[in-house]
C-alpha cells in the first residue's frame, strides 16, 4: 500500500524528491491503517583510502510515536550482497549499520548530517537504504520524504578531543587528537 517513489508531490527545493506514497506518487501521503515496511536503495562506491564520509539529506516524516515506536524513516548502510525485503525491518547484523535513528515527528523538512567511518568499506561499494515502517495503528501525514541527498568524502576530518591552554586576552593555544593526516 505504501511505497517509495521519486516524484514531484514534495521537495525541499527543486522539483523532485524521494517519498512514501499510497497513490503512486500523486501525493506524499500514506495509509496509516495498513502495516507496511518498504525500502528505497542505491549502491554507492566508496573511494579507496577514504577515512570518513559524510552523508547529508533533508527529511520529513510526521508518522506516529517517538523514537522506536510506530511509524518512522531510518537510513542504513548495508553490503551490496544484502537486498532489503518488503515487509521486513532491517536488523543490525552481518555488516548492516543503522546510519540514523528512527526519524519521525517532523512534518517539515530539516537537514540531517552523519559522519561515517569508511575505513572498513573504503575501496568497495555499499548500499544506502532508506526504510519506511508504519504499524497500521494510526499516524499523521506526511510519511517519509528525502531530498537533497549528498555524500562526500571528508578530506579534512573534524578535530576530536579539542583542548585549550595558554589563553590570554589576545590568544589561545588549541590542541586536538590526530584523526587522519592532519597534525596538531
Amino acid at each position: 500500500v505504501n511505497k517509495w517513489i521519486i516524484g514531484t508531490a514534495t521537495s525541499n527545493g527543486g522539483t523532485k524528491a524521494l517519498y512514501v506514497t499510497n497513490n503512486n506518487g500523486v501525493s506524499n501521503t500514506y495509509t496509516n491503517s495498513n502495516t507496511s515496511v518498504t525500502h528505497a536503495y542505491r549502491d554507492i562506491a566508496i573511494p579507496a583510502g577514504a577515512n570518513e564520509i559524510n552523508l547529508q539529506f533533508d527529511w520529513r516524516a510526521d508518522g506516529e510515536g517517538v523514537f522506536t515506536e510506530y511509524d518512522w524513516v531510518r537510513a542504513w548502510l548495508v553490503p551490496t550482497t544484502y537486498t532489503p525485503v518488503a515487509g521486513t525491518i532491517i536488523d543490525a547484523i552481518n555488516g548492516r549499520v543503522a546510519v540514523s535513528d528512527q526519524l519521525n515527528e517532523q512534518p517539515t523538512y530539516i537537514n540531517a548530517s552523519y559522519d561515517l567511518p569508511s575505513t572498513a568499506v573504503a575501496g568497495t561499494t555499499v548500499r544506502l537504504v532508506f526504510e519506511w515502517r508504519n504499524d497500521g495503528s494510526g499516524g499523521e501525514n506526511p510519511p517519509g520524504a528525502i531530498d537533497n541527498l549528498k555524500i562526500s568524502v571528508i578530506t579534512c576530518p573534524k578535530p576530536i578531543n579539542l583542548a585549550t591552554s595558554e589563553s590570554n586576552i589576545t590568544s589561545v593555544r588549541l590542541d586536538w587528537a590526530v584523526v587522519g593526516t592532519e597534525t596538531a
Side-chain angles (χ1 to χ4, degrees):
V1 171
N2 304 314
K3 63 182 177 180
W4 288 98
I5 193 166
I6 296 174
T8 58
T10 186
S11 69
N12 195 30
T15 58
K16 293 184 178 183
L18 173 67
Y19 56 90
V20 173
T21 181
N22 62 358
N23 55 17
N24 292 317
V26 174
S27 64
N28 177 211
T29 56
Y30 75 114
T31 303
N32 58 18
S33 59
N34 287 30
T35 301
S36 64
V37 177
T38 186
H39 308 92
Y41 60 88
R42 176 148 189 174
D43 293 351
I44 309 292
I46 307 297
N51 290 323
E52 196 172 359
I53 56 177
N54 180 261
L55 170 66
Q56 291 184 41
F57 55 89
D58 297 337
W59 71 275
R60 74 177 193 177
D62 200 357
E64 178 190 21
V66 180
F67 304 114
T68 61
E69 301 175 71
Y70 316 127
D71 308 351
W72 42 258
V73 170
R74 181 182 263 179
W76 291 86
L77 278 184
V78 302
T80 56
T81 55
Y82 174 75
T83 302
V85 176
T88 303
I89 295 173
I90 299 172
D91 51 6
I93 61 170
N94 300 325
R96 300 175 211 153
V97 177
V99 172
S100 71
D101 290 327
Q102 293 149 334
L103 307 173
N104 67 356
E105 298 287 313
Q106 180 61 48
T108 58
Y109 282 100
I110 62 171
N111 184 262
S113 179
Y114 301 96
D115 290 338
L116 311 169
S118 62
T119 53
V121 294
T124 69
T125 300
V126 296
R127 184 162 287 160
L128 174 62
V129 181
F130 288 101
E131 177 177 55
W132 167 255
R133 184 260 191 186
N134 64 284
D135 72 340
S137 69
E140 299 294 324
N141 280 299
I146 306 294
D147 202 4
N148 302 318
L149 178 68
K150 180 181 177 183
I151 299 171
S152 53
V153 174
I154 297 171
T155 57
C156 183
K158 294 176 187 173
I160 61 170
N161 300 330
L162 192 61
T164 62
S165 63
E166 301 176 23
S167 62
N168 61 44
I169 198 162
T170 60
S171 66
V172 64
R173 178 185 165 102
L174 298 175
D175 294 296
W176 60 85
V178 175
V179 177
T181 58
E182 80 282 6
T183 60

